[in-house]
Amino acid sequence: MASEIEASALLRLLDEPETLHVIDVRSQEEFAEWSIPGAFNIPVEEIDARVNEVGSGLVVVVCAAGPRAERAAQILADHQMDSSVLRGGMAAWGEVYDDVTLKLGNATVVQVRRRGKGCLSYVVGGSQSCVVIDPPVEIERSIAVAKAYGWKITHVADTHLHADHVSGARLLSETTGAQLLMSHLDAYLFSHPSFENGDVITLGGDSEIQVSHIATPGHTSGSTTFVLDDTALFTGDTLFLESVGRPDLADKAEEFAGYLFDSLHQEILKRDDSILIFPAHVGQAHPFRTDELACATLGELKGRLEALSMSRHEFVAWASSQASPRPPNYEAIVEANRGGSSLSFEEITSLEAGPNRCAVSPS
């Protein structure tokens, strides 16, 4: 039986691509849909004839869940080539996390990254307490970060009603007793405190910090951006590092594209170019590194995203016409996040496998 490697160990090795060869033995269609950065696709049926393409060094073989990778590893062994199989396959890759920390004035920002899906969550703390923004359903990740810094979780917030992954906000709030903050403009089925545009979360302690929230509809009706002391914006799915949020998931693409343009120009783009943008997702092409935050200054995004310089007419026409496949199982995920699903926790979380698709295609 081939040796195995854990997804967490593979994550660390990705920072050294010159010594690593990830061979994905799924079909070309599966590979095109979702893959590990830097992976090379050789379907298992072809690997015997293409062993010369595998390369030398550390070889990790990947498939959806494991069986095809084990077959491929045996074929490689028959050719006297060592390899390891990614335990749990792409399903395990979709569940692996790491985090990176940044000090911003009196605040500390911890970016919790689910790198296999490109999902980003944030724990923002002062000296004693913190707010968790867009927490993953694996709430122990957020709790562990808060514990490591000695913070009490006093607030939990979602930037919007998520469609591509299961939110941990409600469960984290119930577990910790933190105040749950969500927009009443998104169609949640459970009661929660509603916040108004401009409301402020104050994190007390030796040095008080403030996180305010502003309405930025467009991706969803209730999309919200959180502002940290005028140094950072947590933009959810309104503004990404590669594009802007898709406006079509509510089946009102032109109307919501107009809302999105107004949100960007009235609430975000008018701010100082030095402010940092922290989105809720990044695309597959984003070059994650273990010690680097996934973020950019607003000025950097203005310089590289053509959509931000379009007229309103151009933007609406572009954003409403760039439909891409919707997130896998998005209707069931939305229903779970609304609080209306009858599925078990295990069934709900199994719906998340695959890439996120909440941005407008930049091309």
Side-chain angles (χ1 to χ4, degrees):
M1 184 175 180
S3 63
E4 292 185 317
I5 185 171
E6 298 288 346
S8 57
L10 176 60
L11 189 69
R12 294 188 292 271
L13 292 171
L14 289 175
D15 284 346
E16 303 174 9
E18 66 277 2
T19 63
L20 176 68
H21 301 277
V22 179
I23 306 300
D24 191 320
V25 298
R26 297 175 298 156
S27 68
Q28 293 179 358
E29 293 77 15
E30 290 174 286
F31 181 78
E33 178 82 3
W34 183 38
S35 63
I36 295 172
F40 183 65
N41 182 221
I42 306 178
V44 65
E45 297 84 3
E46 302 175 16
I47 199 160
D48 190 41
R50 297 174 61 185
V51 291
N52 61 314
E53 299 178 41
V54 172
S56 59
L58 178 58
V59 176
V60 177
V61 189
V62 180
C63 69
R68 281 178 287 179
E70 291 174 0
R71 284 170 51 201
Q74 183 56 57
I75 293 170
L76 293 178
D78 292 342
H79 288 269
Q80 287 74 53
M81 300 178 69
D82 294 330
S83 64
S84 297
V85 171
L86 178 62
R87 178 178 291 177
M90 291 300 292
W93 173 247
E95 297 297 327
V96 70
Y97 288 82
D98 69 353
D99 59 73
V100 184
T101 300
L102 177 67
K103 187 73 174 176
L104 286 175
N106 293 323
T108 299
V109 176
V110 183
Q111 185 180 68
V112 180
R113 298 105 65 84
R114 186 176 173 187
R115 285 169 57 170
K117 278 189 68 68
C119 294
L120 307 175
S121 172
Y122 301 92
V123 185
V124 182
S127 59
Q128 298 178 1
S129 58
C130 65
V131 54
V132 183
I133 300 172
D134 290 328
V137 70
E138 294 85 358
I139 64 169
E140 65 274 7
R141 305 284 175 177
S142 305
I143 293 172
V145 169
K147 183 177 180 180
Y149 283 88
W151 293 330
K152 178 181 180 181
I153 301 175
T154 56
H155 298 80
V156 176
D158 266 349
T159 55
H160 64 289
L161 177 58
H162 294 285
D164 71 325
H165 69 275
V166 180
S167 167
R170 188 181 181 191
L171 180 59
L172 182 60
S173 171
E174 292 172 348
T175 301
T176 63
Q179 184 177 6
L180 179 64
L181 299 172
M182 295 175 167
S183 173
H184 68 279
L185 296 176
D186 279 336
Y188 296 104
L189 299 178
F190 51 88
S191 60
H192 58 86
S194 180
F195 47 73
E196 301 299 328
N197 198 26
D199 283 356
V200 175
I201 300 168
T202 299
L203 301 175
D206 298 335
S207 300
E208 186 176 279
I209 63 174
Q210 293 188 330
V211 180
S212 59
H213 28 94
I214 53 175
T216 49
H219 179 61
T220 70
S221 296
S223 287
T224 300
T225 292
F226 291 88
V227 186
L228 171 62
D229 289 340
D230 292 324
T231 61
L233 298 179
F234 301 90
T235 54
D237 286 12
T238 295
L239 178 60
F240 299 114
L241 305 184
E242 308 94 344
S243 189
V244 299
R246 61 187 297 173
D248 63 310
L249 293 181
D251 296 319
K252 298 178 181 179
E254 287 193 13
E255 179 183 346
F256 275 51
Y259 297 154
L260 182 58
F261 179 91
D262 293 341
S263 293
L264 289 167
H265 286 265
Q266 295 173 15
E267 298 291 356
I268 293 177
L269 297 180
K270 67 181 183 180
R271 296 175 184 271
D272 192 277
D273 283 355
S274 65
I275 201 165
L276 288 171
I277 303 299
F278 291 103
H281 301 289
V282 291
Q284 283 198 77
H286 181 81
F288 272 119
R289 291 191 66 83
T290 299
D291 57 350
E292 294 179 3
L293 288 152
C295 67
T297 66
L298 181 58
E300 289 172 333
L301 297 186
K302 287 179 180 178
R304 71 178 185 234
L305 300 184
E306 183 181 354
L308 301 184
S309 61
M310 291 179 181
S311 69
R312 194 178 197 278
H313 175 77
E314 291 171 333
F315 181 91
V316 169
W318 168 77
S320 61
S321 65
Q322 296 295 314
S324 58
R326 297 191 173 192
N329 303 310
Y330 89 98
E331 291 180 334
I333 292 173
V334 167
E335 193 64 14
N337 287 334
R338 292 178 68 218
S341 178
S342 60
L343 298 176
S344 68
F345 180 83
E346 291 74 17
E347 290 171 324
I348 289 172
T349 54
S350 71
L351 299 174
E352 297 184 302
N356 74 76
R357 294 202 185 102
C358 287
V360 175
S361 173
S363 58

